[in-house]
Amino acid sequence: MRNFINFQTDLLRAFVSVIDLGAYTKAGDALGRTQPAISLQIRRLEELVGAPVIKQVGRSLTLTSEGEMLLSYAREMLRLNDEAASYFNRSKIAGVLRIGLPNDYAVAFLQGVITEYTSQHPGISLEIHCGWSADILDRLRADELDLAVAMVNNERSQYLSRSWIERPIWAAAEAARFDLGTGVPLAAHPEGCAYRARMIQSLDAAQIRWRVAYTGSGIAGLQNAVVNGLGVSALTRYTMLPGMRVLDDSDGFPALAEIRVGLFYKHPRLSDAGIRLVNHIVARLDEAGVSGDPVRRPIELDRQ
């Protein structure tokens, strides 16, 4: 007879809380337990895994390779557990949710998904904060946001729940024509933008001259610059507008490198309304065929 290993949700919740809150004592405070009790739960979880999931390096805590893998499963198992609990506890969902979105998503697919959710739950108020991904993640880390969508890079994957790939596309006005021999006018966000970097890298690799003809931090201004023929830009399929066309290799434009985008949140900090919103976003991503696996990177924590 097969021996089943059951991962208790209380152990997984303690594990995710330590990771998301950055310390054993903070996890204990959030869960109403002492630091030794949280440590015991982590040891019990490691017994089930059959290997350490967190190791101490100097004064810092680091996830082991097994811990990185477990974190992905744990987030998903807790999300489904809390979704089921929320379904059978049909109390009115209300409150304020603070959401961070990068500039390119502020008027696109995910804003529609989020506002759709609030229309179904009129007791929820939204505070949407738009900005650069690094700033958004800093605000999430400081508990100024409940959840965030941001670009994923190699260094900042803490709090990552889901990620998916976006392939930027070259966008130009329908009637615009460009002579690659004289240089490409670009409409771009300021330096530091992942889309701007990919345009420049792509053109430099193809030895195509370029110049920045328009720069601005807002997506609306960038879209207007493209529609009015001021320059070409890297957009997503969700931010293409009527009056634009896609440029590709037949136009002499090289492909742009992909961008990984992620959904970030601190599970122990989320209210029932926040958990339901996360489930709503994940469901819509699955329906759209854009959801994927989290990028697993080492995360350093402080033991407190």
Side-chain angles (χ1 to χ4, degrees), residues 13-14 16-35 38 141-143 158-159 266 268-269 302-304:
R13 199 176 300 278
V16 171
S17 296
V18 170
I19 301 305
D20 281 358
L21 302 182
Y24 281 71
T25 52
K26 291 181 181 179
D29 291 342
L31 299 176
R33 291 180 173 270
T34 64
Q35 185 271 336
I38 296 297
R141 185 172 290 104
D143 291 329
Q158 194 175 10
Y159 318 126
K266 296 180 181 180
R269 292 282 194 244
D302 295 326
R303 180 186 286 273
Q304 297 180 19

Side-chain angles (χ1 to χ4, degrees), residues 65-250:
S65 58
E66 290 82 0
E68 292 172 15
M69 181 65 72
L70 178 63
L71 182 60
S72 174
Y73 287 117
R75 288 194 191 282
E76 189 70 2
M77 292 166 72
L78 288 177
R79 183 183 68 80
L80 293 173
N81 176 86
D82 293 350
E83 179 181 22
S86 178
Y87 175 82
F88 291 109
N89 180 24
R90 296 181 179 86
S91 58
K92 183 179 179 181
I93 299 299
V96 177
L97 289 177
R98 304 163 301 168
I99 302 166
L101 295 177
N103 290 320
D104 284 350
Y105 280 83
V107 294
F109 173 69
L110 285 174
Q111 187 180 41
V113 170
I114 292 166
T115 54
E116 175 192 34
Y117 172 78
T118 56
S119 68
Q120 298 170 359
H121 302 282
I124 293 176
S125 298
L126 283 187
E127 292 181 4
I128 295 181
H129 304 268
C130 302
W132 302 116
S133 291
D135 295 335
I136 288 172
L137 292 177
D138 283 341
R139 296 191 68 175
L140 178 67
R141 185 172 290 104
D143 291 329
E144 295 175 3
L145 296 173
D146 298 305
L147 59 95
V149 175
M151 308 300 173
V152 179
N153 60 36
N154 293 343
E155 292 77 31
R156 308 189 70 156
S157 59
Q158 194 175 10
Y159 318 126
L160 177 63
S161 172
R162 286 289 185 99
S163 68
W164 59 96
I165 295 297
E166 288 288 355
R167 173 73 69 173
I169 50 181
W170 289 105
E174 285 182 347
R177 296 294 182 269
F178 301 97
D179 182 357
L180 300 186
T182 60
V184 176
L186 299 180
H189 290 309
E191 291 185 13
C193 171
Y195 290 85
R196 176 188 177 118
R198 278 156 177 75
M199 285 194 291
I200 293 173
Q201 291 165 3
S202 177
L203 294 175
D204 283 348
Q207 297 183 330
I208 297 174
R209 296 172 58 192
W210 55 270
R211 61 184 176 84
V212 176
Y214 170 89
T215 184
S217 58
I219 183 64
L222 204 65
Q223 290 169 319
N224 288 333
V226 172
V227 169
N228 291 324
L230 295 180
V232 302
S233 190
L235 299 178
T236 67
R237 51 185 168 143
Y238 304 113
T239 48
M240 292 287 289
L241 295 180
M244 295 182 184
R245 67 186 180 96
V246 177
L247 302 173
D248 54 27
D249 55 0
S250 65

